[in-house]
Amino acid sequence: MVTQPEAYTVVKGEGLPIILVHGMGVDHRSLMMLDDAFPEGTQRIYMDLPGYGQTPALSGIGGLPELAEWFTNAVNELVGNKRFALLGNSMGGALVRDALSREPKRVAGVALIAPVVDPVMSHRHLAEHVISNANPDLTHNLPQDKVIDFVTMGVNQSFDAWRRYQRYILPGTKLCDRDANAKLGQRYWLDGDPEQRLGTYTGPTLIVTGKEDQVVGYVDQKALLPHYPNAVYKVIDPAGHNIHIDNPEALKPLLTEWSKKLLNS
């Protein structure tokens, strides 16, 4: 039997566990800038996925189906028999949907931030990437290896957005296991449709997308809504794929309200 890595986590607060899971190419720090959005009574568990941050890569094939199975097992190891909530960003959103479909009765609620709906890029309905806050004084003076991703992913080029990107995104990109990331990209699909397996989930649900997201868009997420009748669906404008970097002021209140529903459910 192949032994898979243990998840590296950073834990904040005490109370109802909320497991936060990032997307490709970054690590747990990419979501930690949202921590002040969560009220007392919640325990935020920020996780590094295998091959990112401080969690070693998966042994063996290492595709998205294997990552999804690892994630479900890791969640169970972290929370035991407790009820818990899940928050996923980008690819993390696909992992959250998959995990929810396996054990929905244990999940107190889910939040999906710019979630991957269809892993196949060519199947997605993407938005146009429009810079809403251009800042040539900044971008023309940044090292090219850093500015390319900042510009292509985000729509807010303000100094504040760059500082957020520099603090919360860049450290994780430097620790990304490129071989593991490439292996994941070659096998980037889930075994089955999570919502078809799930049916209907009535727990507190938040789905947030960016109006200028050219990576996953904001249209495909609407197809999820019949399966989540109590979902709050919000398109933030302006915001690209990194909604929390572009427009945290719009995102954080939504997370606060979602968290309060968790505590009252």
Side-chain angles (χ1 to χ4, degrees):
M1 181 176 179
V2 177
T3 301
Q4 297 293 7
E6 181 179 346
Y8 175 83
T9 60
V10 173
V11 180
K12 300 284 187 179
E14 297 181 353
L16 176 70
I18 303 175
I19 298 174
L20 299 95
V21 56
H22 60 82
M24 289 184 75
V26 294
D27 67 7
H28 73 277
R29 285 169 288 190
S30 65
L31 296 174
M32 290 193 72
M33 63 162 293
L34 300 173
D35 197 66
D36 60 357
F38 299 98
E40 290 187 12
T42 61
Q43 180 186 62
R44 287 82 64 199
I45 304 175
Y46 297 89
M47 173 190 292
D48 279 347
L49 293 171
Y52 305 104
Q54 297 188 54
T55 301
L58 291 176
S59 301
I61 299 173
L64 191 58
E66 291 74 33
L67 183 58
E69 181 177 358
W70 176 92
F71 177 66
T72 298
N73 292 335
V75 168
N76 288 330
E77 290 177 5
L78 286 169
V79 301
N81 58 5
K82 295 180 182 176
R83 292 183 76 238
F84 58 92
L86 295 167
L87 183 154
N89 174 224
S90 191
M91 179 181 70
L95 296 175
V96 162
R97 291 167 48 229
D98 184 85
L100 171 67
S101 72
R102 299 177 189 228
E103 297 185 89
K105 293 182 179 180
R106 295 187 58 207
V107 181
V110 294
L112 306 173
I113 303 173
V116 169
V117 175
D118 193 326
V120 180
M121 178 68 79
S122 61
H123 294 174
R124 302 176 188 173
H125 298 84
L126 305 181
E128 183 181 358
H129 183 243
V130 179
I131 304 298
S132 62
N133 191 350
N135 188 357
D137 289 340
L138 170 67
T139 57
H140 290 173
N141 289 289
L142 289 174
Q144 287 300 304
D145 62 334
K146 295 180 179 179
V147 72
I148 291 174
D149 192 49
F150 176 64
V151 172
T152 57
M153 293 288 285
V155 302
N156 180 358
Q157 296 178 358
S158 69
F159 287 104
D160 284 342
W162 167 246
R163 281 189 283 267
R164 289 190 290 268
Y165 188 89
Q166 194 174 31
R167 179 177 179 184
Y168 295 103
I169 302 295
L170 279 181
T173 64
K174 295 176 181 177
L175 293 180
C176 173
D177 184 324
R178 301 300 172 186
D179 290 338
N181 197 60
K183 188 184 296 186
L184 175 60
Q186 293 168 2
R187 188 173 158 78
Y188 198 66
W189 61 81
L190 291 171
D191 285 336
D193 184 329
E195 277 69 37
Q196 291 301 317
R197 184 165 56 224
L198 174 67
T200 300
Y201 176 75
T202 59
T205 303
L206 175 64
I207 302 174
V208 186
T209 60
K211 186 67 178 292
E212 291 77 34
D213 188 333
Q214 88 283 23
V215 177
V216 301
Y218 64 92
V219 175
D220 295 338
Q221 291 75 12
K222 289 184 179 179
L224 302 177
L225 295 180
H227 298 275
Y228 303 91
N230 292 323
V232 172
Y233 168 73
K234 180 70 174 179
V235 180
I236 294 181
D237 184 14
H241 191 55
N242 285 335
I243 301 171
H244 47 307
I245 300 297
D246 285 332
N247 202 337
E249 296 83 4
L251 176 58
K252 287 184 178 182
L254 297 171
L255 290 173
T256 301
E257 287 304 310
W258 172 71
S259 301
K260 290 178 179 177
K261 292 178 183 177
L262 295 178
L263 296 175
N264 293 326
S265 64

